[in-house]
């Protein structure tokens, strides 16, 4: 253990605590002691202080207690030839500094409420570069990634690299490994975030490059995020400091990169991070702490070359990342999924109503395809000029000893994520309504459509080893070829849907859960049955069954439906037991076939939201692609915000478009004949199915009896029209009895 590094950290602790004590005293002279303080939109108060001590800091007066606690942690100064091991005093000084930094940031937010922008991405044009502490919405959305492994950890980068290109190289190395990059502090007035922007990178939570703040004190937001994740997802209780720190050491694989001169204020922050088991790696010549102890391996490593700092950090932290290099000219990884290819960045595109873009995965026999073969039939990106469009057909053939036709739609939906993982490429939609946008930057680096096939081949092998033996990809860009593939694909889609359409809930004794959306709707548990497809429209019962066979520990788990508790409303004993556990007690029960009585929980990913229209004795539904007003008085976005957080909201329910014409759709409330309004875009899409289901229920041409926005967007506007048409809902028993 170096005496010098312990000396610097302890000196830094005294310096920071004294500075913040002064700032707090000045604030108490300027504001009333009862003035409210805290980080915006969080139930965790000042999260580091709250999680480790249980102190709830809500007013200026409350800040005195953690500052006194921090002062009490400060160890004696190191004097003379003291040969004691310095790790204990260093850790105490570091923790004192971290507490003080969190108080400092709370005081900044009090005095400068607009300093940070409270959203996922900065507003560069408005000069709002720093996002500050993540609110609880971001925590729910992103924190679960540190639990399920999709984000193995984070790099807390403080300071700045020598130049923008070096900063870009370091940050992209971490992105490729699916790590978050939490950025704070400046070196000689320059920050890594500014360097990333200079290098043309997109920053924000969506690209995992998070601009916390320009000062070393804002690094405390990274530790606060880690501790909140432990409380929210790991069940660690506030004040259980030992379990909190051990959870972070064992579960949150994080480390600090110090880029630039490490003074006493940086040293105390680094010492504080060691308490969490987070080591520091520096690009300068600072004293090292090489023996193991708190951290998995070394605590402080110096003189790390910039082109080695990523790999060295991963090694020192003991993080295991299994990534096989994919031979394409662009970076690849989940960090790029949030990128957007906007108008000024766009080189060319396929689909998105400009051309046809279709995707199809089909099972093949082992001797029919050649593993790794990728063909582009037709023009490629190099044949396009800026602004051009192309049709595109992505046809993937998979052979495997354990592969089944039921797995085809599961694999097909992976195309969306995997193409989005390519830096500079944006993918939207699925099936025959996909849309691919290619950026100028990607073209400059040599992107080819063949690279999509290379990615799909590699990732299908990596992620589905159990069922995949061979993958062959063909990409069509000629109109005739794409139209031919689209006709084939639509016939396959229809066949898949019909497999479920002929099944009933009574045919099976097992339903399936889907918990994919619990990251942002913690109490939401979607249960998928043959006659109740997933709310998002992406999963039906067959898909969930196949998903479970592929990944038995995944988000789609079997649920024995058990005893039928209410045949009409669709309530099952086994489902009640499952959802109570899966929602951690937040939800005791819900009904499959009702939106009036204890309806299923809803998340923000639902394809449609239905709402009661009491004056019309019926219901309406609205899809997320309709942005106008509705007779409920709320647009889709408002509805999703009101009841899309995992709640069971009587009078409202989320559902898929396909579910509208399934036989059990709100059957406990009267069924489809209650439908009095839906947007024209939805009605046109499912027109034939509406008429077919209506006829089964005794009403011919039922679609023509449903009002849309061309009739009106209030109950008062549509009711006379419904009366003129003789809509059956008007003569049904009251919806609310």
């Amino acid at each position: 253990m170096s005496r010098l590094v312990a000396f610097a950290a302890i000196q830094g602790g005294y310096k920071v605590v004294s500075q913040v004590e002064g700032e707090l005293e000045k604030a108490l002279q300027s504001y009333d002691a009862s003035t409210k303080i805290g980080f915006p939109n969080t139930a965790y108060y000042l999260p580091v202080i709250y999680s480790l001590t249980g102190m709830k800091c809500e007013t200026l007066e409350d800040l005195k207690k953690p500052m006194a606690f921090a002062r009490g942690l400060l160890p004696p100064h190191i004097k003379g030839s003291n040969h004691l091991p310095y790790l204990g005093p260093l850790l105490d000084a570091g923790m004192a500094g971290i507490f003080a930094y969190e108080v400092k940031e709370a005081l900044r937010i009090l005095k400068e409420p607009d300093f940070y922008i409270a959203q996922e991405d900065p507003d560069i044009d408005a000069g709002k570069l720093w996002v500050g502490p993540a609110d609880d919405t971001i925590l729910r959305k992103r924190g679960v990634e540190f639990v399920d492994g999709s984000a193995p950890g984070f790099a807390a980068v403080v300071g700045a690299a020598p130049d923008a290109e070096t900063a870009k190289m370091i940050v992209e190395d971490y992105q490729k490994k699916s790590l978050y990059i939490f950025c704070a502090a400046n070196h000689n007035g320059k920050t890594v975030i500014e360097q990333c922007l200079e290098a043309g990178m997109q920053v924000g939570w969506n690209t995992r490059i998070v601009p916390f703040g320009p000062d070393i004190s804002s690094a405390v937001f990274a530790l606060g995020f880690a501790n909140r994740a432990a409380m929210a997802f790991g069940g660690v209780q506030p004040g259980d400091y030992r379990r909190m720190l051990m959870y972070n050491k064992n579960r949150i694989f994080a480390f600090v990169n110090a880029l630039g001169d490490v003074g006493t204020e940086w040293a105390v922050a680094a010492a504080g991070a060691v308490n969490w088991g987070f080591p520091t790696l520096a690009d300068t010549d600072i004293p090292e702490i090489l023996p193991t102890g708190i951290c998995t391996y070394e605590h402080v490593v110096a003189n790390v070359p910039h082109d080695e700092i990523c790999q060295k950090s991963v090694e020192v932290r003991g993080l295991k990342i299994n990534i096989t290099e994919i031979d394409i000219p662009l970076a690849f990884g989940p960090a790029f999924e949030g990128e957007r290819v906007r108008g000024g960045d766009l080189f060319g595109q396929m689909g998105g109503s400009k051309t046809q873009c279709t995707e199809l995965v089909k099972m093949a026999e082992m001797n029919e395809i050649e593993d790794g073969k990728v063909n582009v039939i037709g023009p490629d990106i190099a044949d396009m000029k800026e602004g051009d469009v192309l049709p595109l057909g992505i046809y993937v053939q998979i052979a495997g000893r354990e592969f089944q036709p039921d797995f085809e739609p599961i694999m097909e939906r992976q195309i969306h994520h995997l193409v989005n993982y390519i830096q500079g490429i944006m993918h939207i939609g699925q099936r025959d309504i996909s849309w691919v946008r290619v950026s100028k930057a990607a073209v400059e680096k040599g992107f080819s459509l063949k690279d999509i096939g290379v990615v799909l081949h590699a990732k299908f092998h990596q992620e589905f080893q159990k069922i995949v033996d061979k993958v062959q990809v063909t990409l069509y860009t000629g109109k005739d070829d794409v139209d031919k593939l689209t006709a084939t694909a639509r016939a396959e889609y229809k066949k898949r849907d019909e497999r479920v359409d002929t099944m009933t809930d009574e045919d099976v004794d097992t339903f399936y859960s889907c918990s994919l959306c619990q990251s942002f709707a913690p109490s939401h548990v979607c249960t998928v049955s043959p006659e109740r497809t997933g709310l998002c429209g992406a999963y039906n019962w067959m898909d969930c069954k196949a998903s479970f066979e592929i990944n038995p520990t995944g988000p789609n788990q079997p649920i024995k439906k058990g005893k039928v508790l209410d045949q009409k409303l669709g309530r099952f004993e086994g489902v009640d037991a499952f959802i109570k556990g899966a929602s951690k007690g937040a939800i005791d029960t819900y009904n499959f076939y009702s939106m009036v009585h204890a309806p299923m929980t809803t998340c923000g990913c639902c394809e449609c939201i239905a709402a009661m229209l009491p004056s019309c004795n019926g219901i309406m539904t609205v899809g997320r692609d309709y942005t106008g007003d509705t007779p409920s008085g709320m647009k889709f976005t408002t509805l999703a915000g009101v009841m899309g957080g995992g709640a069971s909201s009587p009078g409202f329910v989320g559902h898929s478009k396909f579910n509208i014409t399934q036989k059990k759709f709100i059957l406990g409330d009267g069924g489809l004949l209650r439908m009095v309004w839906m947007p024209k875009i939805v009605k046109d899409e499912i027109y034939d199915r509406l008429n077919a289901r209506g006829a089964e229920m005794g009403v011919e041409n039922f679609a023509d009896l449903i009002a849309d926005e061309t009739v009106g967007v209030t109950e008062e506007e549509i009711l006379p029209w419904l009366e003129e048409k003789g809509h059956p809902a008007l003569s049904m028993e009251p919806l609310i009895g």
Side-chain angles (χ1 to χ4, degrees):
M1 166 71 72
S2 166
R3 178 179 182 274
L4 288 175
V5 73
F7 177 81
I10 292 171
Q11 286 292 101
Y14 275 94
K15 179 180 179 181
V16 171
V17 169
S18 295
Q19 285 177 345
V20 178
E21 284 173 337
E23 291 181 29
L24 176 57
E25 185 59 35
K26 186 180 294 185
L28 285 166
Q29 293 171 4
S30 304
Y31 301 88
D32 189 88
S34 63
T35 301
K36 294 291 184 182
I37 58 92
F39 295 164
N41 304 320
T42 179
Y44 294 96
Y45 308 96
L46 301 187
V48 172
I49 293 169
Y50 177 56
S51 60
L52 294 176
T53 69
M55 298 179 192
K56 299 178 180 180
C57 296
E58 300 180 84
T59 68
L60 270 178
E61 181 74 20
D62 293 340
L63 295 179
K64 290 181 178 180
K65 192 173 181 181
M67 286 308 301
F69 191 91
R71 170 64 66 178
L73 283 174
L74 291 173
H77 289 283
I78 295 176
K79 299 177 181 178
S81 55
N82 187 337
H83 296 292
L84 290 173
Y86 302 112
L87 189 55
L90 178 142
L91 294 173
D92 288 343
M95 191 62 81
I98 295 298
F99 281 15
Y101 278 145
E102 193 165 48
V103 171
K104 181 182 180 71
E105 287 296 336
L107 292 172
R108 190 211 296 266
I109 290 169
L110 171 65
K111 292 181 288 187
E112 302 175 72
D114 296 326
F115 185 85
Y116 296 118
I117 183 167
Q119 60 188 45
E120 286 200 343
D121 296 325
D123 187 344
I124 307 301
D125 294 336
K128 294 289 187 179
L129 186 56
W130 309 108
V131 299
D135 65 21
D136 285 352
T137 302
I138 295 174
L139 172 71
R140 288 193 298 270
K141 183 176 180 181
R142 305 288 177 175
V144 72
E145 296 175 1
F146 292 88
V147 179
D148 67 16
S150 53
F154 65 80
V157 179
V158 299
D163 53 66
E165 283 307 308
T166 301
K168 180 181 180 183
M169 175 193 69
I170 293 170
V171 169
E172 283 189 347
D173 275 353
Y174 287 128
Q175 284 183 304
K176 291 174 189 177
K177 290 178 170 54
S178 302
L179 294 161
Y180 276 82
I181 304 94
F182 291 163
C183 301
N186 67 86
H187 181 242
N188 295 329
K190 196 74 171 179
T191 68
V192 161
I193 288 296
E194 291 164 323
Q195 291 177 321
C196 287
L197 292 172
E198 184 183 335
M201 303 178 77
Q202 296 181 27
V203 303
W205 281 96
N206 283 316
T207 56
R208 301 194 179 190
I209 309 170
V210 184
F212 274 142
D215 303 314
I216 188 62
S217 56
S218 50
V220 77
F221 299 146
L223 299 175
F225 184 85
N227 282 18
R228 281 196 288 165
M231 288 187 286
F233 303 106
V236 183
Q237 295 302 306
D240 191 349
Y241 64 88
R242 187 180 187 281
R243 188 174 170 217
M244 177 65 65
L245 297 175
M246 290 301 295
Y247 181 95
N248 276 279
K249 177 184 175 180
N250 296 326
R251 296 290 298 274
I252 307 295
F253 290 90
F255 45 83
V256 179
N257 282 175
L259 304 180
D261 299 328
V262 179
T264 56
E265 293 184 20
W266 282 23
V268 73
V274 170
N275 284 280
W276 276 256
F278 301 166
T280 293
L281 295 92
D283 62 352
T284 55
D285 187 17
I286 64 171
E288 295 185 312
I289 306 176
L290 298 181
T292 59
I294 304 300
C295 296
T296 304
Y297 298 113
E298 296 88 353
H299 298 75
V300 177
V301 181
N303 291 319
V304 183
H306 295 121
D307 60 352
E308 298 176 13
I309 198 164
C310 175
Q311 187 56 45
K312 186 68 173 176
S313 297
V314 168
E315 172 196 328
V316 169
R317 182 61 182 93
L319 176 59
K320 306 298 181 186
I321 299 179
N322 181 23
I323 292 183
T324 302
E325 287 293 327
I326 298 175
D327 188 18
I328 62 173
L330 304 172
F332 178 88
F336 301 110
E337 187 175 16
E339 277 189 321
R340 296 291 177 261
V341 178
R342 300 183 175 91
D345 305 322
L346 179 66
F347 175 82
Q349 56 189 316
M350 289 72 71
S353 77
K354 314 291 189 220
T355 63
Q356 181 60 46
C357 186
T358 300
E359 300 163 351
L360 179 65
V361 170
K362 281 294 293 175
M363 178 179 171
E365 296 298 326
M366 296 288 284
N367 59 355
E368 289 179 340
I369 62 174
E370 178 184 334
D371 186 44
K373 185 177 181 180
V374 179
N375 283 334
V376 178
I377 298 177
D380 202 341
I381 299 297
D383 302 307
M384 299 174 68
K385 300 189 297 292
E386 186 177 323
D388 280 355
V389 297
L390 276 178
L392 179 63
I394 302 175
Y395 180 44
V396 183
Q397 295 168 278
I398 300 177
R401 292 170 185 83
E402 303 296 326
F403 199 80
Q404 304 171 24
D406 288 350
F407 299 160
E408 291 170 353
I410 307 299
M411 307 299 285
E412 205 167 85
R413 272 193 289 280
Q414 304 305 310
I415 295 174
H416 168 71
H417 299 288
L418 297 177
V419 173
N420 262 324
Y421 288 177
I422 305 173
Q423 185 183 29
I425 309 300
M426 180 177 171
H427 184 285
I428 299 172
Q430 59 184 31
R431 283 193 169 187
D432 58 344
I433 55 170
S434 298
W435 186 9
V436 179
R437 291 168 67 89
V438 180
S439 70
K440 297 173 187 175
V443 175
E444 289 170 2
K445 291 183 178 181
F447 172 75
S448 161
L449 289 176
K450 184 176 181 179
D451 297 328
I452 291 177
V454 172
V455 164
L456 296 179
H457 167 259
K459 294 304 289 181
F460 281 166
H461 270 293
Q462 289 176 20
E463 297 184 8
F464 300 96
Q465 293 178 3
K466 179 183 175 183
I467 59 172
V468 171
D469 292 325
K470 288 185 175 183
V471 180
Q472 180 174 305
V473 184
T474 307
L475 299 109
Y476 299 102
T477 59
K479 184 179 185 304
D480 290 345
D481 288 330
V482 174
D483 288 346
K484 184 178 178 181
L485 178 68
T486 301
T488 301
R490 285 173 178 164
E492 290 293 331
Y493 305 153
K494 186 172 184 290
K495 191 187 306 181
R496 292 173 189 169
D497 291 341
E498 286 174 347
R499 284 187 303 170
V500 178
D501 219 12
T502 58
M503 296 178 64
T504 71
D505 287 356
E506 289 78 16
D507 290 337
V508 301
D509 61 5
T510 301
F511 295 162
Y512 287 91
S513 70
C514 185
S515 57
L516 282 169
C517 298
Q518 277 199 337
S519 57
F520 51 89
S523 61
H524 174 59
V525 184
C526 192
T527 304
V528 180
S529 73
E531 295 183 275
R532 215 332 180 153
T533 55
L535 311 186
C536 62
Y539 280 85
N540 61 37
W541 184 89
M542 295 288 289
D543 296 337
C544 291
K545 179 177 183 290
S547 176
F548 174 71
E549 290 180 30
I550 294 172
N551 182 10
T553 60
N556 304 119
Q557 294 296 306
I559 305 173
K560 291 293 183 182
K561 65 182 186 183
K563 181 181 177 182
V564 179
L565 301 178
D566 192 313
Q567 184 71 46
K568 179 183 177 182
L569 299 180
R571 183 181 169 211
F572 305 93
E573 188 174 55
V575 174
D576 280 0
F578 183 90
I579 62 175
K580 184 173 183 179
S583 69
K584 298 180 175 61
I587 304 294
D588 290 323
T589 184
Y590 55 50
N591 296 310
F592 277 57
Y593 315 139
S594 177
M595 60 181 287
V596 176
H597 307 284
M600 189 178 288
T601 58
T602 296
C603 72
C605 287
C606 57
E607 203 170 19
C608 301
I609 297 176
M612 287 196 307
L613 299 179
S615 297
C616 300
N617 199 36
I619 72 162
M620 56 146 276
T621 193
V622 56
R624 61 171 54 252
D625 45 2
Y626 174 74
T627 58
D629 294 324
T630 76
S632 71
M634 292 179 278
K635 297 181 179 181
F636 179 91
T637 50
T638 307
L639 284 165
V642 168
M643 45 77 68
S648 174
S649 306
F652 304 88
V653 74
H655 59 90
S656 68
K657 292 178 185 176
F658 187 77
N659 184 227
I660 296 171
T661 53
Q662 289 186 291
K663 293 181 180 180
K664 294 291 200 310
F665 178 69
I666 66 161
L667 195 59
D669 307 322
L672 180 63
L673 297 184
R674 289 285 190 184
M675 186 69 69
V676 299
W677 189 94
M678 66 172 60
K680 190 173 187 301
I681 188 173
V682 177
K683 185 164 68 171
D684 289 348
E685 183 178 339
I686 61 173
Y687 187 87
D688 291 339
R689 287 177 59 85
L690 286 169
N691 281 337
R693 177 61 183 142
E696 289 177 357
M697 301 181 76
V699 179
E700 297 294 331
N701 303 313
F702 179 63
D704 296 331
L705 304 182
I706 302 173
D708 56 39
E709 68 272 22
T710 65
V711 176
V713 292
T714 67
E715 289 192 75
E716 291 76 13
E717 289 174 340
I718 67 172
L719 183 55
W721 187 89
L722 296 170
E723 291 172 336
E724 179 186 332
K725 295 288 184 179
H727 195 290
L730 300 178
S731 58
M732 296 173 73
E733 63 181 26
L735 185 59
I736 306 174

